[in-house]
Amino acid sequence: MNQLVDRTITALRSEHDALAGLVRTFTDDQLATTSGAAEWTVAQVLSHLGSGAEIGRAPIARAAGEAVAAEDNQTIWARWDASAPRAQAEGFLEYDGRWLAMVEALTPEQRSSLTVDLGFLPEPVSLLTALGMRLNEVANHSWDVRVAFDPHAGVDAESAAVLVDLLAGPVGFMLGFLAKPAELMDPVSVAVPGGGLVIDDAVTVVDHLESPSATFNGPAEAFVRLVSGRLKAPYDNGVTVEGSITLDDLRRVFPGF
């Protein structure tokens, strides 16, 4: 499990560095461009990631023994929403950098033993779960930013590989919020890169399938985008599904966030 924690932190660092490198070059017009999340501009996506880093740092820091002053989430969101696009971009660089510096400084013992009270789940979760949830946000919203300027962009390949492992483990519960299994009439099992997808009364990702009823033909990053509702035309080039269901069937199961 420690290895997956380390891989997740490494993926988060790569995501930050790649996105930060782009953000530092953006003009005001580029910040105002509609992102891959059609209801948000590029700056608003960065604001979402930045405010998430500000809010998400506090519970991990407290779990590690740091005294952190409490601030209401609504107050934080309101401050970010009221900021100018350039300030939202710069805020992302600052707060995501601070979040990363904190988790990278955690000791091996802390990485394996910390439990984190995120405040919105029924009980505290492992550090790995908290990190995995953050990677899911960062990887998909980073794609939202990049695809605004590159229609062939994909989710980072290493992030995608880590996310498949996380979905088959500690963040699999998120599928209960992301998926709508009732959209399919019959149970199916789908071979996907690095594992399998089982859809019956619930939706689960597993690390292996013996006899899948369908096959998802595409890279792991495309599967990650499917789960987050981002595998839509024109961003689905070359992806097919063979067997008992279609790609459109799967898109109904995963409408996105």
Side-chain angles (χ1 to χ4, degrees), residues 224-246:
V224 167
R225 287 193 289 115
L226 170 72
V227 171
S228 70
R230 287 164 169 77
L231 190 61
K232 300 173 181 176
Y235 310 119
D236 57 352
N237 188 41
V239 178
T240 61
V241 175
E242 298 176 348
S244 59
I245 57 170
T246 68

Side-chain angles (χ1 to χ4, degrees), residues 21 32-33 47 59 73 98 104-105 109 112 115-116 139 152 154 173 195 199 207 214-215 229 236:
T33 300
S47 177
N73 288 357
R98 289 182 61 200
E104 288 175 329
E109 195 277 331
S112 65
T115 57
V116 182
H152 302 295
F173 72 92
I199 306 172
D207 59 12
T215 300
D236 57 352

Side-chain angles (χ1 to χ4, degrees), residues 98-178:
R98 289 182 61 200
W99 187 95
L100 266 173
M102 177 196 59
V103 299
E104 288 175 329
L106 294 173
T107 67
E109 195 277 331
Q110 287 173 317
R111 293 185 181 199
S112 65
S113 65
L114 284 186
T115 57
V116 182
D117 184 359
L118 294 173
F120 57 87
L121 293 176
E123 59 187 21
V125 298
S126 69
L127 175 67
L128 178 56
T129 299
L131 297 177
M133 293 173 68
R134 179 63 180 173
L135 180 60
N136 187 63
E137 282 276 307
V138 171
N140 282 289
H141 287 308
S142 174
W143 180 85
D144 289 336
V145 171
R146 290 180 289 108
V147 80
F149 310 104
D150 176 9
H152 302 295
V155 169
D156 177 80
E158 182 55 29
S159 292
V162 173
L163 281 168
V164 172
D165 289 344
L166 289 165
L167 287 168
V171 303
F173 72 92
M174 292 174 54
L175 295 166
F177 303 102
L178 297 172

Side-chain angles (χ1 to χ4, degrees), residues 61-77:
R62 290 191 191 102
E66 180 181 333
V68 181
E71 186 174 10
D72 180 74
N73 288 357
Q74 295 294 335
T75 300
I76 295 173
W77 286 323

Side-chain angles (χ1 to χ4, degrees), residues 22-23 41 46 64 67 84-85 88 99 115 131 135 157 198 208 257:
L22 281 177
V23 169
T41 65
L46 296 172
Q88 290 173 330
W99 187 95
T115 57
L131 297 177
L135 180 60
V198 179
H208 179 68
F257 63 88

